Amino acid sequence: MHYTRDNMAGLLRSHDINPTHQRIEIAHALFSRQEHLSADQVMAIVNTRHSETSKATVYNTLKLFLEKGLVREVIVDPSKVFFDPNTSPHHHLYEVDSGKLSDIDAEHVQISGLPPLPPGMVTEGIDLIVRVRRKA
Amino acid sequence: MHYTRDNMAGLLRSHDINPTHQRIEIAHALFSRQEHLSADQVMAIVNTRHSETSKATVYNTLKLFLEKGLVREVIVDPSKVFFDPNTSPHHHLYEVDSGKLSDIDAEHVQISGLPPLPPGMVTEGIDLIVRVRRKA
DNA sequence: ACGGCGATCTGGACTTTGTCTAATATCCGG
DNA sequence: CCGGATATTAGACAAAGTCCAGATCGCCGT
Ligand SMILES: [Mn+2]
Ligand SMILES: [Mn+2]
Ligand SMILES: [Zn+2]
Ligand SMILES: [Zn+2]
């Protein structure tokens, strides 16, 4: 499957998001690359040729995508949030030195023995992050 | 075991940290409470009576504690880092609404099926965060 | 006690990430 | 084409964290 700008409108609509020029560009940045991007990186990508999209719109749009379940947030670096076009359940491998973030398929990973949740609470998600660094 | 200011000097020394007035106060804030605190919270606690410790020192000291393995960092909220006096392997439960962060003993939790690490890499840590919220 | 000196602490400027607002522009149904 | 709702924008603002040059501290030898 190939993510073109043309598919983006449909993808957005299917998530109840009104497709606009800026939203299509931002979705395209994330989905065509299938990478974890920070708001800053999205901004840079979208504005490579000539300035097209403001900072406010980049942040507004990413938050909207998040609310609508189109992307997921990955909190792994204290200095910035990553946005993840992969919303299927999966985990992350974080290379501390380089800042590289990659996916770990959840299919074969088993987590067991977690204690019961506090009453009246529901799980919103389980984040598993394997932090690695270059061997000394 | 009770953490008094008097114990702190020994604890610091045992981690190769020169105990100073400010470092003792900051360590005491964390260890006497046994809670996850942000830099801001540490600052507030240490300066309750009268201003004693500067922002720069709070940040420098927490970073020093981190390097020396006296505390651990928990990255769970995009807007601030928490410092954790509990350095034994354990996981975290994060209540998204309230921001409350609590420990999950690692003893009974089993994680299996993780893929092999990329060559030349070693695991620095595995962070498991259970994100929960109040039932609708 | 005194002077010296490395280690530590400090105020405040600065940077980065993210939020907010009020004005403008765009879109769309009638 | 009009009018209202929706979306975008510049730029001011806020919060967390970093940095630096100068002041201070605590200890040692005299
Ligand atoms: Mn364009
Ligand atoms: Mn004091
Ligand atoms: Zn991912
Ligand atoms: Zn903890």
Side-chain angles (χ1 to χ4, degrees):
Chain A
M1 181 35 164
H2 215 239
Y3 289 100
T4 67
R5 273 180 188 75
D6 288 348
N7 317 42
M8 290 302 105
L11 179 65
L12 293 177
R13 268 188 221 98
S14 77
H15 282 261
D16 199 24
I17 298 167
N18 201 353
T20 65
H21 180 68
Q22 287 88 339
R23 288 170 182 175
I24 287 171
E25 285 298 321
I26 291 172
H28 184 251
L30 282 160
F31 284 90
S32 68
R33 282 174 184 72
Q34 290 283 83
E35 270 173 22
H36 308 87
L37 300 178
S38 64
D40 226 36
Q41 291 175 305
V42 168
M43 176 98 143
I45 290 168
V46 161
N47 289 334
T48 20
R49 301 173 162 280
H50 47 94
S51 187
E52 290 180 336
T53 306
S54 72
K55 185 170 62 146
T57 296
V58 169
Y59 278 99
N60 288 344
T61 300
L62 288 171
K63 199 202 273 186
L64 178 69
F65 285 3
L66 205 55
E67 283 163 12
K68 297 297 189 178
L70 183 60
V71 303
R72 155 178 177 180
E73 210 177 19
V74 183
I75 300 165
V76 74
D77 181 304
S79 71
K80 63 188 142 196
V81 170
F82 286 101
F83 295 88
D84 190 344
N86 179 358
T87 53
S88 69
H90 68 278
H91 307 300
H92 290 101
L93 183 96
Y94 187 59
E95 301 184 19
V96 175
D97 318 301
S98 65
K100 196 166 155 276
L101 185 61
S102 50
D103 284 348
I104 296 174
D105 199 321
E107 200 180 340
H108 301 101
V109 179
Q110 267 259 37
I111 300 169
S112 61
L114 285 175
L117 294 189
M121 295 277 167
V122 282
T123 301
E124 193 180 270
I126 294 184
D127 295 354
L128 177 64
I129 293 150
V130 181
R131 246 167 252 274
V132 302
R133 65 178 157 69
R134 210 157 275 299
K135 200 175 297 180
Chain B
M1 181 33 162
H2 216 238
Y3 289 101
T4 67
R5 274 180 188 75
D6 288 348
N7 307 5
M8 290 301 106
L11 179 64
L12 293 177
R13 269 189 220 97
S14 77
H15 282 261
D16 198 26
I17 298 167
N18 201 353
T20 64
H21 180 68
Q22 288 88 341
R23 289 170 182 175
I24 287 171
E25 285 299 320
I26 291 171
H28 185 252
L30 283 159
F31 283 90
S32 68
R33 282 173 184 72
Q34 290 282 80
E35 271 173 22
H36 307 88
L37 300 178
S38 65
D40 227 35
Q41 291 175 305
V42 169
M43 177 98 144
I45 291 167
V46 162
N47 289 335
T48 19
R49 300 173 163 279
H50 47 93
S51 187
E52 290 181 336
T53 305
S54 70
K55 184 170 64 144
T57 296
V58 169
Y59 278 99
N60 288 344
T61 300
L62 289 171
K63 197 203 275 187
L64 177 69
F65 285 3
L66 205 55
E67 285 164 10
K68 298 295 190 180
L70 182 62
V71 302
R72 156 180 177 181
E73 210 178 20
V74 184
I75 300 166
V76 75
D77 181 305
S79 72
K80 61 189 143 196
V81 169
F82 287 100
F83 294 88
D84 189 345
N86 179 356
T87 54
S88 69
H90 68 279
H91 307 299
H92 291 99
L93 184 96
Y94 187 58
E95 301 184 19
V96 175
D97 318 301
S98 66
K100 195 165 156 277
L101 184 60
S102 51
D103 284 348
I104 296 175
D105 199 319
E107 200 181 340
H108 301 100
V109 178
Q110 266 268 22
I111 300 168
S112 62
L114 285 175
L117 295 189
M121 295 278 168
V122 282
T123 300
E124 193 180 271
I126 294 184
D127 295 355
L128 177 64
I129 295 150
V130 181
R131 246 167 251 276
V132 302
R133 64 179 158 69
R134 209 157 276 300
K135 201 175 298 181

